[in-house]
Amino acid sequence: MSITPKVLLRSLSDQTRLRCLMLLIQEGELCVCELTHALDLIQPKISRHLASLRDMQIVNDRRAGQWIYYSINSVLPDWANELLQATLKGSKNEKQFKDDLKKLKGMPNRPNNRICA
Amino acid sequence: MSITPKVLLRSLSDQTRLRCLMLLIQEGELCVCELTHALDLIQPKISRHLASLRDMQIVNDRRAGQWIYYSINSVLPDWANELLQATLKGSKNEKQFKDDLKKLKGMPNRPNNRICA
DNA sequence: ATAATATATATGTTTGACCGTATATATGTC
DNA sequence: GACATATATACGGTCAAACATATATATTAT
């Protein structure tokens, strides 16, 4: 079964999950420590919300050494991708989003997440 | 100030508000009793959620005699309209949405909501 | 094996949002 | 005026979900 509007919208209704997803859409793949740094929240909180997004099949995870990388599920239905893109479009004006992105870019010692190093 | 993703997504996270909005997008303008009938919920519940959507400037209301008609705010930003359209696209497969629409169409004594009668 | 780092999860608590019931308000009809 | 219909709101209760803290697990390095 594929995701429903009910499930996706419920997930997007929490600010922490929304902020994570916006960064993931924009950046492609991020690990927990990058998201923790960018959002300036405690690690268990980020992990908990990412686990929830994984359970809803909105994101996928991949282990690489001690890091676990999350990314948007690549096989979401069209309407879901369109919904996420519309949300990103709306978020780009938001101070919160800009700040998160800036914080991410400025993170020291970012782990290298390139699959082909 | 215009609506934010945070506010719109929070509004869409409740099933009652989501169902109302999907019918409003599809049908243009509906009164409280039509929505109450279509969703098969009690009137105060519908009114409460519509008031919330009005407060968030997602819908407008208009009185016509004893009826109050609600419709999607016509000056939402592009991203918000795109988000709603994507949601509608995803909802059209859903049994819940189909049932709501069928119930609305089959409602006896629907008030006539045409502005120019 | 010990220590350090990254991530996940368990636990108990709190809070905000939704709920149903009751009631108030507004309009129309007789 | 009295009554019916449509809608809004106030009130108190309930519950899901989010929270912080503490701890467990996994990986890497020394």
Side-chain angles (χ1 to χ4, degrees), chain B residues 10 13-14 16-17 42 44-45 48-49 63-66:
Chain B
R10 175 114 230 339
S13 72
D14 177 88
T16 303
R17 289 190 296 265
I42 60 179
K45 180 164 174 170
R48 200 171 342 117
H49 284 294
R63 178 179 281 278
Q66 39 186 345

Side-chain angles (χ1 to χ4, degrees), chain A residues 53-91:
Chain A
L53 289 169
R54 186 191 346 98
D55 293 346
M56 303 299 177
Q57 314 218 52
I58 296 169
V59 300
N60 293 120
D61 60 350
R62 158 177 92 85
R63 179 179 280 279
Q66 37 185 345
W67 296 280
I68 301 202
Y69 287 97
Y70 285 87
S71 54
I72 305 280
N73 178 352
S74 58
V75 292
L76 289 177
D78 287 347
W79 67 264
N81 281 315
E82 290 160 11
L83 197 158
L84 289 171
Q85 286 301 327
T87 307
L88 179 62
K89 188 169 171 180
S91 297

Side-chain angles (χ1 to χ4, degrees), chain A residues 3-76:
Chain A
I3 193 173
T4 62
K6 173 176 175 172
V7 167
L8 181 57
L9 290 166
R10 176 116 228 338
S11 287
L12 289 167
S13 72
D14 177 89
Q15 276 297 101
T16 303
R17 289 190 296 264
L18 176 59
R19 291 165 71 193
C20 286
L21 286 172
M22 291 304 96
L23 287 182
L24 288 172
I25 291 191
Q26 183 93 6
E27 299 295 300
E29 199 179 42
L30 296 169
C31 71
V32 179
C33 64
E34 289 174 313
L35 288 167
T36 300
H37 182 91
L39 306 204
D40 194 21
L41 294 173
I42 61 179
Q43 174 267 321
K45 179 164 173 168
I46 300 287
S47 277
R48 198 176 344 114
H49 284 294
L50 288 171
S52 153
L53 289 169
R54 186 191 346 98
D55 293 346
M56 303 299 177
Q57 314 218 52
I58 296 169
V59 300
N60 293 120
D61 60 350
R62 158 177 92 85
R63 179 179 280 279
Q66 37 185 345
W67 296 280
I68 301 202
Y69 287 97
Y70 285 87
S71 54
I72 305 280
N73 178 352
S74 58
V75 292
L76 289 177

